[in-house]
Amino acid sequence: MNAPQKPASRAPLLSLDAAMAELLARVHALESVETVATFDADGRVLAEDLVSALQVPPNDNSSMDGYALRASDVTAPGVVLRVSQRIAAGHAGHALEAGTCARIFTGAPMPDGADAVVMQEDTIEVGGDIHGVHIQAVPDAGQWVRRAGEDVTRGAVVLSRGHRLSPASLGLAASLGQARLSVMARPRVALFSTGDELVMPGDVPPESMKPGAIYNSNRFFLRALLRRMGCEVSDLGIVPDQRDATLAALKTAADHHDLILTSGGVSVGEEDHIKPSVQQLGSLDLWQIGMKPGKPFAYGTVRRDAGECHFIGLPGNPVSSFVTFLLLVRPFLLRLQGVPIDSARALPVATRLPAHFSVERADRRREFLRVRRNAAGGLDLFPNQSSGVLTSAVWGDGLVDNPAGTTIAHGDLVSYLSFAELLA
Ligand code: AMP
Ligand code: MG
């Protein structure tokens, strides 16, 4: 018979906001920088301000296929103007003869003297002796003209150090003539999973799995998430639930990495070796957060010859591991790469949406429910919110951030965070 257990102590857990602030306060941007082709820079973080050496667009140019003219030459609809030149994109025209117009195409530079474009749909070509055009609408000066420098002025800081490059910003950098960009080094992350029950897919077929064995799923999404965050991943595989093996894995990993990321083994059971091992090799600075799923999250450092290596221990339950990665590891990695985020901006801006479900029992922890937007503009709840049910994270397209101690009635406005933004 087991001796009667004393009720577990219920000291208040660290709040997610406090944990985030602590975590971000401990991480500083890596110092190494590298130069990469702009083509390969999606998702990387700029290491220096990008200052434009030219204006974009370089000249006033037409935003329509049509006719460039002086607006003052057309005082009433029906004026006929002679077409005195033709200017296609990539070719320069010459000064516009008085009382004439220029055939012009989208992107072509405006000829000197012209101040407006009439789109070809508002004109009728006139044949005969002169090649002319009948202007059907009175133009306003400046119409259908894109001004030189309206996108970028010369000398402007177009993208700042710390900007995380997106496909659109690669295009903008290219528009300034940048074929290569100076970016922050990729964080080197050592990843390992703990758990004697874990088996790698491919090693044992489903029909031969021993009782108690499960496939290692965390390793797959964590590796993919780290790669998306621009990390270089050393996957150290599965570490058995033994103190010596855990110590050895942590020591090896600390040497050549910026971060050690583990999953599992960070709770309070006798088979959980991560916490005491990190304490032995360095320090454990954060442990257990008032969030659901994700309570067993841990942060610390592991000493090495020179300095120390960051350590983050994620919970073993797959949904807990996934959610804590999105909410805590992602901002940590952004900051490690020099993105200037603080704890107030670590999460995307939540959208307020109506719950098309109810939560009758309030939880003492801040809860992140797996939900999905529906066609009626509301949110549906995945029926099984267990932290072991990874289907919820695939079925769902985001999380409801529900404050501690809060019930939800059907129709209540709740805070929704989309996976799309949390994964970006
Ligand atoms: P732990 O935090 O080690 O106590 O693990 C909590 C739960 O998550 C247990 O049911 C484990 O079997 C499960 N788990 C731990 N690691 C993984 C993993 N890599 N893939 C799938 N499930 C895991
Ligand atoms: Mg375990």
Side-chain angles (χ1 to χ4, degrees):
M1 286 282 283
N2 287 335
Q5 297 274 306
K6 273 213 268 173
S9 93
R10 287 269 163 159
L13 297 168
L14 193 64
S15 73
L16 176 58
D17 289 342
M20 186 83 83
E22 285 264 337
L23 186 66
L24 294 181
R26 286 163 201 270
V27 54
H28 302 290
L30 299 173
E31 272 156 27
S32 11
V33 163
E34 60 178 322
T35 301
V36 297
T38 304
F39 275 129
D40 300 325
D42 185 26
R44 303 297 296 273
V45 178
L46 270 184
E48 57 192 29
D49 288 350
L50 208 64
V51 177
S52 180
L54 79 176
Q55 57 179 0
V56 182
N59 326 91
D60 287 358
N61 68 92
S62 175
S63 64
M64 283 287 164
D65 292 335
Y67 296 88
L69 42 70
R70 284 182 187 81
S72 58
D73 285 344
V74 185
T75 46
V79 168
V80 173
L81 295 178
R82 181 165 66 83
V83 180
S84 55
Q85 59 178 314
R86 184 178 189 280
I87 313 169
H91 301 271
H94 45 80
L96 189 66
E97 272 177 60
T100 74
C101 65
R103 179 72 171 121
I104 198 162
F105 299 91
T106 305
M110 292 290 285
D112 284 347
D115 62 3
V117 171
V118 174
M119 61 164 106
Q120 67 190 36
E121 292 84 342
D122 291 337
T123 65
I124 300 169
E125 274 196 72
V126 180
D129 294 348
I130 63 154
H131 176 209
V133 72
H134 182 279
I135 309 290
Q136 293 176 287
V138 177
D140 294 324
Q143 78 173 28
W144 305 125
V145 177
R146 300 193 285 222
R147 291 281 166 216
E150 73 176 24
D151 187 356
V152 176
T153 54
R154 193 190 311 266
V157 175
V158 176
L159 297 168
S160 305
R161 173 188 159 83
H163 168 79
R164 188 153 176 248
L165 293 154
S166 66
S169 49
L170 296 186
L172 190 57
S175 78
L176 310 179
Q178 298 288 334
R180 301 178 71 72
L181 294 169
S182 170
V183 297
M184 308 290 293
R186 294 181 181 282
R188 298 160 306 166
V189 181
L191 174 67
F192 63 84
S193 326
T194 71
D196 288 349
E197 70 279 33
L198 300 178
V199 170
M200 281 304 288
D203 285 357
V204 180
E207 62 279 11
S208 313
M209 289 284 274
K210 295 216 177 71
I214 58 167
Y215 287 119
N216 184 347
S217 49
N218 298 1
R219 184 175 179 181
F220 286 79
F221 64 73
L222 290 175
R223 203 201 280 198
L225 287 167
L226 286 168
R227 292 244 166 92
R228 274 195 189 207
M229 293 306 303
C231 301
E232 233 169 58
V233 183
S234 312
D235 190 334
L236 306 184
I238 299 168
V239 173
D241 289 323
Q242 292 159 15
R243 186 65 54 89
D244 289 352
T246 308
L247 288 168
L250 288 170
K251 270 191 211 149
T252 312
D255 271 345
H256 301 290
H257 297 96
D258 303 304
L259 168 68
I260 303 170
L261 186 70
T262 66
S263 86
V266 78
S267 292
V268 287
E270 294 145 41
E271 299 290 345
D272 293 320
H273 295 285
I274 290 284
K275 185 175 170 248
S277 302
V278 172
Q279 281 166 325
Q280 185 176 329
L281 297 176
S283 70
L284 195 89
D285 305 314
L286 288 179
W287 184 58
Q288 293 204 325
I289 301 181
M291 62 186 287
K292 185 181 175 181
K295 179 175 153 192
F297 180 94
Y299 168 82
T301 51
V302 176
R303 278 188 303 274
R304 61 178 166 219
D305 285 347
E308 53 193 26
C309 177
H310 294 289
F311 162 83
I312 292 179
L314 299 180
N317 274 307
V319 183
S320 312
S321 215
F322 183 71
V323 168
T324 48
F325 187 101
L326 298 185
L327 299 184
L328 288 152
V329 181
R330 179 178 181 276
F332 179 92
L333 290 172
L334 289 175
R335 198 159 161 122
L336 193 59
Q337 290 174 82
V339 177
I341 51 165
D342 53 28
S343 57
R345 287 178 301 153
L347 299 183
V349 175
T351 315
R352 300 287 285 171
L353 290 173
H356 287 180
F357 62 86
S358 62
V359 173
E360 271 123 43
R361 216 172 52 87
D363 201 280
R364 65 191 276 272
R365 284 181 274 162
R366 177 171 170 183
E367 198 167 4
F368 291 90
L369 304 161
R370 274 74 67 212
V371 296
R372 151 164 126 181
R373 277 167 300 188
N374 60 34
L379 296 169
D380 295 326
L381 182 73
F382 189 73
N384 187 339
Q385 292 286 322
S386 156
S387 59
V389 175
L390 199 50
T391 310
S392 68
V394 176
W395 178 93
D397 61 13
L399 300 169
V400 161
D401 178 358
N402 191 37
T406 313
T407 57
I408 298 174
H410 199 283
D412 282 356
L413 286 180
V414 293
S415 294
Y416 167 80
L417 300 168
S418 78
F419 284 147
E421 283 180 89
L422 286 166
L423 289 166

